[in-house]
Amino acid sequence: MDFLDRNENTIKGTVKRIYFEKRETGYKAVLISGEEDDDTVVGKMPDVSVGDTIEATGSYIDHPRFGIQFKADSYRIIPPSDSQAMERYLSSGAVAGVGEKLAARIVARFGDDTFRIIEEEPERLSEIKGISKRKAMEIAVSMEEKRDLRDAMVTMSGLGISQSMAVKIYDNYGPGYIDIIRANPYKLAEDIRGIGFKTADDIATKQGMDPGSSDRCQAGLLYCLMEGAGEGHCYLPAEALVADTERLLGDGHGDIGGSLDGLVHSGKVKRDGDRIYLPAFYFAELACARMLCEKNIPMLKDLPGLDEKIDRDVERIAAENGMYTDPLQISAVRECIKNGLFILTGGPGTGKTTTINMIIGYFMNQGLKIALAAPTGRAAKRMTEATGYEATTIHRLLGVTGIPDQSEGSVIFQKNADDPLEADVIIIDEMSMVDIMLFKALLSAVPISSRLVLVGDASQLPSVGPGCVLNDICACDFFRVVKLEKIFRQDETSNIVINAHKIDRGEHITLSSSVKDFIFLERDDPAVIRQTIGWMISDKLPEYLHCGSFDLQVLTPGKKGSLGVAELNRFLQQVLNPPADSRKEYMYGDTLFREGDKVMQTRNDYKMEWSTDEKLASLSQSGTGVFNGDLGRIKSIDEAGRILTVLFDDGRVARYPFSELDELDLSYAMTIHKSQGSEYPAVIIPILDPSPLLVYRNLLYTGITRARSCVVLLGSSETINRMIDTKGSNDRYSSFTDRLYAANGR
């Protein structure tokens, strides 16, 4: 008899593994262990976890790729009723704090009465060696929370809320979640990361809410403002905001202008003339302008002969350290020494690092304490290697920490106006990456008596977050700004530097396959480009540059399309880290994570706990906080415990619950914007037909300046030339320059 002819339409078993889950729909593919055999069950099962015993009704199907599966039309979770099932459930990791050995001891002691004991007499768990009364209560609470959460997930699944979103909603609101959803589902979009207006709007529609309600209009306005912030804007013009909201809400929307007035009145937005702000950005611009202008003061009296003395001291330091300098660099160091605030800019190869080293050498000779920092871990590592002095991230410099009892994303900095940084000179590199919110936190912690030195390349892309801080500062004529322009690294391996400056000036560059450190390959087929990238990164470039494939980086203008991040990552994962019996994997949404994969953190998570890897660090450390752009490799995947462990490049190890995997992306390929602050032996950049919104000069400039030894461009020379010709496509709504002039009394 053929297997598919079996009459059974109901199967029962314990979930041993979850092969795949799509968080948006609750669809899962799970392996269950029955009395006679194992089966793969597929279907919408949002609340099913490893360790659950389920009974599913449906039929067997023959999937063309995955073979025989049981397609569940309906299912129910069966509470474990015998000691063997209870032990399987407890040892699955479903209950916090209980592993296999402890589960075995609990069931050996209480047998079939185990669950009743946990629910009704949890204090008796302390009769077991290794379980204190406190731990006993924690186990009971975990069981209770899991049951309540499961009920909540079933309720929310009826409203179209995915499993992962249901968990976040319940974690945020607790048992009162349903009252909030019924009263104003749009509040979810305000309070919970990952739930946007459209999700909340779908929930409201299912509940029959009025599409013209004020709640819906206000939620739409806030959503458009947040979308604007995601694009780097500190505010939106009122007319543009209203127009965006009208398009979002569609026909039948209510009084958007009146709803905007209501938001202003309630303090949820700030209005300044025609500009509409989220309050955080409005007050950040004001505070940064005030604090920066307060720092813009002389630190030395301008006595006769002072400049000459400083110049002699700096020239001596340069000579002692074998540094070649020019008058503009000497002038830059002098301005830094004389003033409380100094800004140093310039492109690659213009001597910014040499100038920073002279600044450090001078102040070290003066016995002053110096702090070095950069926005990302990779940028801080580069700064350390370039100067020989320890640099850290700005977040770590400020002592970032999460606030566990507040909403997701809440953050405080231990270093602030009340407890400022203990440094005489604070040097911040890669300032183009610093957004207005991080800059506010930094300035708050800088003592008025300390010098602040801001270093960056104003031609690079601005920060991922809101604002255009470095460019706005450089646009003011009352700060001490020195821009280095002379190229020092003009030797036989400097085509990257030479071409970067040409691009910055809007000049077309020579595109050739014969230039050894700046290679261009004309290709017009995305499939051919992908195959060429695979060959270059797995074979040609590692041999050419004497490095590993994982040291190289593919950069691409955008996320979507045949040469976007998603497609390239799927392709490169197969090339560089293909399936193997020794490597566990887990499917989350549309992303397959596999042990050994390159991954990147995609947002700031101030609460994520980490510890240092003992093999990479001489002293064990721990802390909280992983940040947007942090790179690492997947160390292990624990399906039973539903934990994915990442070893980051700086030696930190973080453990991600499967419900938080939306914070990670594969990073074999990344957008050029995400690569800011990094440097690689070589970068490979496919440029064929990106979105017109991504065809502009400083995107290309930023991409090629990420390479230390070699750039490979593949695609269309015509598109590359259009990018070079296009300037100003990255404008942002920022009023920081206006605030600076106002704070300076002009």
Side-chain angles (χ1 to χ4, degrees):
M1 182 174 67
D2 187 271
F3 183 80
L4 294 180
D5 292 334
R6 286 169 55 179
N7 294 323
E8 295 96 338
N9 61 3
T10 299
I11 61 173
K12 177 181 175 181
T14 301
V15 178
K16 294 173 60 177
R17 182 178 181 185
I18 298 177
Y19 290 120
F20 170 84
E21 65 178 300
K22 194 169 181 66
R23 60 189 183 277
E24 295 86 357
T25 63
Y27 180 90
K28 290 182 181 176
V30 305
L31 177 67
I32 68 167
S33 178
E35 293 182 0
E36 298 181 359
D37 208 348
D38 290 352
D39 281 295
T40 298
V41 181
V42 299
K44 286 189 177 182
M45 301 175 284
D47 55 334
V48 168
S49 302
V50 172
D52 287 338
T53 299
I54 65 170
E55 184 179 80
T57 301
S59 58
Y60 284 95
I61 61 173
D62 189 357
H63 191 281
R65 179 179 174 189
F66 300 110
I68 303 300
Q69 299 177 331
F70 187 87
K71 185 176 183 299
D73 298 321
S74 63
Y75 73 97
R76 67 186 182 97
I77 296 174
I78 303 171
S81 57
D82 59 71
S83 58
Q84 186 177 12
M86 291 178 184
E87 183 176 340
R88 282 199 303 266
Y89 180 81
L90 291 174
S91 63
S92 70
V95 179
V98 180
E100 291 185 13
K101 293 181 179 178
L102 187 54
R105 293 206 302 271
I106 293 173
V107 174
R109 174 72 177 82
F110 299 112
D112 292 350
D113 206 27
T114 295
F115 275 23
R116 188 195 66 78
I117 292 293
I118 294 175
E119 292 173 1
E120 299 178 11
E121 303 177 74
E123 67 278 359
R124 289 191 57 193
L125 291 175
S126 62
E127 297 172 12
I128 298 170
K129 185 178 180 181
I131 300 182
S132 64
K133 288 187 177 180
R134 178 179 177 180
K135 187 172 183 63
M137 296 310 296
E138 289 175 350
I139 292 171
V141 168
S142 179
M143 285 278 287
E144 179 71 22
E145 287 178 344
K146 189 168 180 64
R147 184 169 59 250
D148 291 345
L149 174 58
R150 180 167 285 153
D151 292 342
M153 289 169 68
V154 171
T155 300
M156 285 189 265
S157 67
L159 294 172
I161 300 173
S162 70
Q163 176 183 358
S164 59
M165 284 299 109
V167 171
K168 291 183 178 182
I169 291 169
Y170 189 83
D171 286 347
N172 197 77
Y173 298 126
Y177 74 95
I178 195 64
D179 295 330
I180 292 170
I181 290 176
R182 287 172 178 164
N184 180 13
Y186 297 104
K187 185 168 174 53
L188 302 178
E190 291 184 44
D191 296 343
I192 301 173
R193 185 192 64 83
I195 296 185
F197 170 81
K198 294 178 182 177
T199 300
D201 202 36
D202 288 343
I203 297 170
T205 300
K206 286 185 171 70
Q207 296 187 135
M209 293 188 69
D210 177 12
S213 70
S214 176
D215 285 339
R216 183 169 186 257
C217 288
Q218 291 192 353
L221 287 161
L222 290 173
Y223 173 79
C224 289
L225 275 176
M226 287 187 283
E227 286 289 287
E231 295 172 2
H233 302 304
C234 288
Y235 71 88
L236 289 178
E239 184 177 349
L241 174 60
V242 170
D244 288 347
T245 307
E246 287 177 346
R247 283 192 293 271
L248 175 70
L249 300 183
D251 296 336
H253 62 73
D255 181 6
I256 295 175
S259 296
L260 178 56
D261 291 338
L263 287 173
V264 173
H265 182 72
S266 67
K268 290 185 178 180
V269 303
K270 290 290 295 183
R271 187 200 298 269
D272 184 5
D274 183 50
R275 299 168 176 174
I276 309 297
Y277 301 76
L278 290 170
F281 306 137
Y282 174 82
F283 290 113
E285 283 193 343
L286 288 175
C288 287
R290 173 183 55 79
M291 291 186 287
L292 200 64
C293 288
E294 288 175 352
K295 287 296 305 170
N296 192 33
I297 56 175
M299 299 295 281
L300 297 175
K301 291 184 178 180
D302 197 7
L303 300 173
L306 176 64
D307 288 359
E308 291 79 4
K309 181 181 184 307
I310 291 175
D311 290 357
R312 287 194 300 272
D313 291 342
V314 173
E315 289 169 353
R316 185 180 69 254
I317 291 168
E320 290 172 352
N321 292 276
M323 302 175 187
Y324 175 78
T325 62
D326 75 345
L328 189 56
Q329 288 176 303
I330 298 296
S331 172
V333 179
R334 185 195 321 126
E335 289 298 311
C336 176
I337 293 167
K338 293 171 62 177
N339 293 283
L341 174 67
F342 174 68
I343 300 95
L344 178 69
T345 72
T350 56
K352 292 194 301 295
T353 298
T354 299
T355 306
I356 292 172
N357 282 329
M358 288 192 291
I359 290 170
I360 292 172
Y362 181 90
F363 287 124
M364 290 288 287
N365 286 349
Q366 299 295 313
L368 300 183
K369 185 176 181 180
I370 303 171
L372 309 180
T376 66
R378 280 188 166 251
K381 183 179 179 181
R382 287 180 60 198
M383 194 179 190
T384 298
E385 293 169 348
T387 64
Y389 293 92
E390 186 67 27
T392 185
T393 64
I394 298 174
H395 285 93
R396 286 198 191 178
L397 179 71
L398 300 179
V400 68
T401 182
I403 308 176
D405 58 346
Q406 292 195 16
S407 62
E408 193 169 344
S410 296
V411 59
I412 57 173
F413 293 96
Q414 295 174 357
K415 291 297 180 181
N416 49 45
D418 296 325
D419 183 16
L421 294 167
E422 297 176 2
D424 302 301
V425 183
I426 299 163
I427 303 175
I428 307 297
D429 199 8
E430 296 288 356
M431 266 299 299
S432 63
M433 300 175 65
V434 176
D435 63 42
I436 194 68
M437 297 305 295
L438 183 58
F439 196 48
K440 175 177 176 287
L442 172 66
L443 291 178
S444 298
V446 176
I448 194 67
S449 59
S450 299
R451 289 175 174 85
L452 178 62
V453 184
L454 307 177
V455 184
D457 183 350
S459 295
Q460 286 191 27
L461 292 169
S463 57
V464 174
C468 201
V469 172
L470 180 61
N471 290 72
D472 287 347
I473 293 172
C474 291
C476 298
D477 58 12
F478 47 84
F479 293 124
R480 271 64 174 184
V481 180
V482 172
K483 181 177 182 180
L484 302 177
E485 296 180 323
K486 181 178 178 180
I487 301 175
F488 289 94
R489 283 161 46 193
Q490 193 163 351
D491 54 28
E492 69 275 12
T493 61
S494 67
N495 286 292
I496 297 170
V497 172
I498 293 170
N499 285 338
H501 285 272
K502 285 184 177 179
I503 291 169
D504 190 33
R505 294 191 298 266
E507 300 173 12
H508 288 191
I509 58 177
T510 300
L511 295 171
S512 169
S513 61
S514 61
V515 179
K516 64 180 181 179
D517 65 336
F518 203 99
I519 301 165
F520 172 70
L521 302 175
E522 185 87 42
R523 301 287 187 273
D524 59 7
D525 185 336
V528 172
I529 291 176
R530 285 196 298 270
Q531 292 297 329
T532 305
I533 290 173
W535 169 69
M536 295 286 283
I537 200 168
S538 64
D539 185 16
K540 183 65 175 177
L541 286 176
E543 179 183 342
Y544 178 49
L545 298 172
H546 306 291
C547 64
S549 295
F550 280 64
D551 298 323
L552 309 174
Q553 189 61 51
V554 177
L555 303 179
T556 188
K559 297 179 181 179
K560 300 178 181 179
S562 57
L563 294 174
V565 168
E567 285 297 324
L568 286 172
N569 270 319
R570 277 191 282 269
F571 172 75
L572 290 169
Q573 183 186 50
Q574 289 297 105
V575 172
L576 299 177
N577 192 35
D581 292 339
S582 60
R583 290 193 284 267
K584 296 178 183 177
E585 55 188 45
Y586 180 74
M587 192 78 180
Y588 183 80
D590 296 326
T591 303
L592 175 67
F593 291 107
R594 182 176 293 134
E595 289 178 342
D597 276 337
K598 288 178 68 173
V599 290
M600 175 173 56
Q601 176 76 11
T602 60
R603 70 177 186 90
N604 291 337
D605 186 337
Y606 302 104
K607 299 179 187 177
M608 178 67 73
E609 296 180 354
W610 56 264
S611 58
T612 50
D613 185 87
E614 295 178 359
K615 295 179 181 179
L616 300 179
S618 57
L619 296 175
S620 178
Q621 295 178 317
S622 61
T624 58
V626 291
F627 306 108
N628 191 355
D630 285 353
L631 298 172
R633 300 276 295 275
I634 296 178
K635 186 177 180 183
S636 64
I637 296 175
D638 177 6
E639 282 197 85
R642 297 181 66 74
I643 294 291
L644 183 150
T645 302
V646 175
L647 170 61
F648 287 103
D649 289 352
D650 60 2
R652 291 174 299 149
V653 176
R655 291 160 52 86
Y656 290 77
F658 281 3
S659 61
E660 298 296 328
L661 292 184
D662 56 347
E663 296 189 9
L664 291 175
D665 271 344
L666 296 177
S667 64
Y668 299 99
M670 68 176 71
T671 63
I672 293 172
H673 218 143
K674 285 285 189 180
S675 72
Q676 284 179 274
S678 300
E679 185 179 73
Y680 305 94
V683 297
I684 306 171
I685 309 176
I687 299 176
L688 186 60
D689 56 352
S691 162
L693 296 176
L694 297 173
V695 178
Y696 55 92
R697 185 182 304 165
N698 60 347
L699 188 74
L700 179 62
Y701 175 87
T702 300
I704 70 169
T705 55
R706 300 308 91 205
R708 182 167 58 249
S709 302
C710 183
V711 169
V712 179
L713 299 177
L714 300 97
S716 165
S717 56
E718 188 273 333
T719 302
I720 291 172
N721 287 331
R722 278 197 292 118
M723 293 182 80
I724 295 171
D725 292 339
T726 306
K727 182 177 174 63
S729 295
N730 207 31
D731 294 339
R732 295 183 166 193
Y733 290 120
S734 165
S735 48
F736 187 38
T737 299
D738 294 342
R739 308 292 185 200
L740 287 167
Y741 274 104
N744 197 54
R746 297 171 63 178

